[in-house]
Amino acid sequence: MTQSRDFFKIAPYKHQLDTLDVLRSHEYYAIFHQQGLGKTGLLIADILAAAETGAVNGAVVITLPGVHLNWLTELKKFWIKDIKPAKAFAWQPVYAGSDTYKRKFAAFLADTGFKVLLLPISIFSTESGTDLTRSFFKACASKVFLVVDESSTC
């Protein structure tokens, strides 16, 4: 079995390893660590662990508007492509109406590899937003790791 340490691209702190060991044994959980303790890296390591075992085919990260774009940087920083290649798509409502953007999203859904969809919470206030999310779950055979990131700058 792969060790928890193997899912961290950057050497983890002891509290991150201890937490990941606990998380891997639970289907549902919440992390209430203080700011700066590496929650995002920890979550990415757990998504990667679940992806490696085939437990999930994709991940959805829901955040405040704008914060979901930060996850693109975090995925590049923490995701280990050698364990599981992945593609990420950050939904940007300002482009959602364009045919080019719709084609890019359709290609993202059609890709058979592991996918990470990054969404602003505001997308769920529209029917098209919930339809988009349903299409992602369908593309991933409903085996999706769901993250709700409440972080904000308040």
Side-chain angles (χ1 to χ4, degrees), residues 59-122:
V60 173
V61 178
I62 303 165
T63 72
L64 294 173
V67 176
H68 71 295
L69 300 176
N70 296 343
W71 270 78
L72 284 174
T73 303
E74 297 298 312
L75 284 166
K76 288 176 188 171
K77 182 177 177 182
F78 293 112
W79 192 267
I80 304 172
K81 295 177 188 173
D82 293 345
I83 292 178
K84 188 75 169 182
K87 290 191 177 179
F89 193 95
W91 188 258
Q92 298 183 57
V94 69
Y95 302 120
S98 81
D99 290 338
T100 301
Y101 201 70
K102 289 176 184 177
R103 281 193 300 276
K104 285 181 181 180
F105 185 68
F108 171 73
L109 288 181
D111 188 282
T112 57
F114 193 83
K115 298 178 260 306
V116 181
L117 180 60
L118 309 169
L119 299 172
I121 188 76
S122 56

Side-chain angles (χ1 to χ4, degrees), residues 3-5 16-26 42:
Q3 298 296 310
S4 293
R5 177 175 297 286
Q16 289 174 308
L17 282 174
D18 293 345
T19 302
L20 186 58
D21 286 338
V22 171
L23 299 182
R24 289 179 74 188
S25 65
H26 291 81
L42 180 61

